[in-house]
Amino acid sequence: AQSVTQLGSHVSVSEGALVLLRCNYSSSVPPYLFWYVQYPNQGLQLLLKYTTGATLVKGINGFEAEFKKSETSFHLTKPSAHMSDAAEYFCAVSEYIQGAQKLVFGQGTRLTINP
Amino acid sequence: EPEVTQTPSHQVTQMGQEVILRCVPISNHLYFYWYRQILGQKVEFLVSFYNNEISEKSEIFDDQFSVERPDGSNFTLKIRSTKLEDSAMYFCASSREGNSNEKLFFGSGTQLSVL
């Protein structure tokens, strides 16, 4: 069965600093990987996803993630944090089931941006 | 961008009572899901629904749970006799296709509190 581990339930960075949110996965098949973000009082929103092809994936709001098979990682980065990036971030791996998609999530990382 | 709508945003109920959580998926989507997140824990898959039947359910989704698409727009989750441990944030999601790399659109959730 697939699983996801996010290192750090809470990350705090200064505005303008690099954001790095860590995600490691376990999968017996080539994984499809996702990062979702949840802003306060909103639903989870897709930031980016890796399926096949280029291992560096660019998403919305300046975020990107790199799939590293050798490290079983899919860390999320942004070069320069903005106050509006404060949210909870979820890494997930997709498990195909008959006739539907099932996401297996990590425990989430709450990102705080300090002025 | 189109949205998945969930009502109510908060629901408080007494143990043993029935609750119905309501969702309006995106209109041209064909696959529907419920996930939940108990406070401090991971977001967990509950059930997927396609073509008016359950396509997959987790171990959590026991006989106390049921889903229904009573008309062309609503998708509901019913808990027949709530337990304290059912207290969680419940997220509805939908997608146009059921592929493993599909983007899910999530609602903002219903916070269920069982007293």
Side-chain angles (χ1 to χ4, degrees):
Chain A
Q2 280 119 320
S3 66
V4 172
T5 302
Q6 290 181 241
L7 296 176
S9 58
H10 197 156
V11 170
S12 182
V13 302
S14 298
E15 191 174 18
L18 171 71
V19 175
L20 171 60
L21 304 183
R22 298 178 188 275
C23 173
N24 288 89
Y25 69 90
S26 171
S27 177
S28 57
V29 298
Y32 292 154
L33 295 159
F34 303 78
W35 276 99
Y36 279 83
V37 59
Q38 185 182 24
Y39 299 105
N41 301 315
Q42 296 185 27
L44 282 75
Q45 176 183 353
L46 181 67
L47 263 183
L48 49 81
K49 64 179 179 180
Y50 168 78
T51 54
T52 57
T55 56
L56 183 62
V57 180
K58 294 188 186 299
I60 62 172
N61 302 337
F63 283 92
E64 60 184 36
E66 186 170 12
F67 169 63
K68 291 187 176 180
K69 183 179 178 181
S70 61
E71 298 177 9
T72 61
S73 69
F74 190 57
H75 302 330
L76 181 71
T77 59
K78 182 174 180 177
S80 177
H82 192 272
M83 295 299 291
S84 60
D85 295 327
E88 184 135 22
Y89 292 79
F90 296 91
C91 182
V93 64
S94 179
E95 185 174 304
Y96 182 73
I97 51 181
Q98 185 64 35
Q101 185 207 76
K102 173 184 172 183
L103 290 175
V104 177
F105 284 92
Q107 65 268 44
T109 298
R110 184 165 297 278
L111 177 64
T112 302
I113 312 297
N114 303 313
Chain B
E1 191 170 63
E3 291 184 345
V4 173
T5 305
Q6 289 186 244
T7 55
S9 56
H10 292 86
Q11 175 90 46
V12 180
T13 190
Q14 296 290 325
M15 191 169 55
Q17 295 296 303
E18 175 184 285
V19 293
I20 298 176
L21 308 183
R22 303 182 191 279
C23 170
V24 179
I26 294 170
S27 60
N28 62 348
H29 284 188
L30 302 175
Y31 294 80
F32 312 110
Y33 308 85
W34 284 100
Y35 285 77
R36 79 172 185 188
Q37 185 181 28
I38 295 171
L39 187 63
Q41 298 185 25
K42 296 183 179 185
V43 177
E44 306 171 286
F45 170 83
L46 290 179
V47 66
S48 61
F49 190 86
Y50 169 71
N51 199 25
N52 282 321
E53 61 182 26
I54 291 173
S55 48
E56 183 75 17
K57 59 183 181 179
S58 71
E59 294 173 354
I60 305 165
F61 196 88
D62 62 21
D63 292 344
Q64 292 299 312
F65 290 87
S66 62
V67 289
E68 193 179 30
R69 189 155 161 82
D71 51 42
S73 59
N74 290 284
F75 179 51
T76 62
L77 174 68
K78 181 192 290 186
I79 309 175
R80 288 189 186 81
S81 178
T82 50
K83 307 183 186 71
L84 295 176
E85 54 265 36
D86 294 328
S87 295
M89 177 72 87
Y90 288 80
F91 293 104
C92 173
S94 69
S95 64
R96 179 152 174 74
E97 303 289 344
N99 303 319
S100 298
N101 60 356
E102 193 73 10
K103 172 182 177 180
L104 295 192
F105 290 77
F106 285 84
S108 55
T110 293
Q111 180 65 57
L112 177 65
S113 297
V114 182
L115 306 178

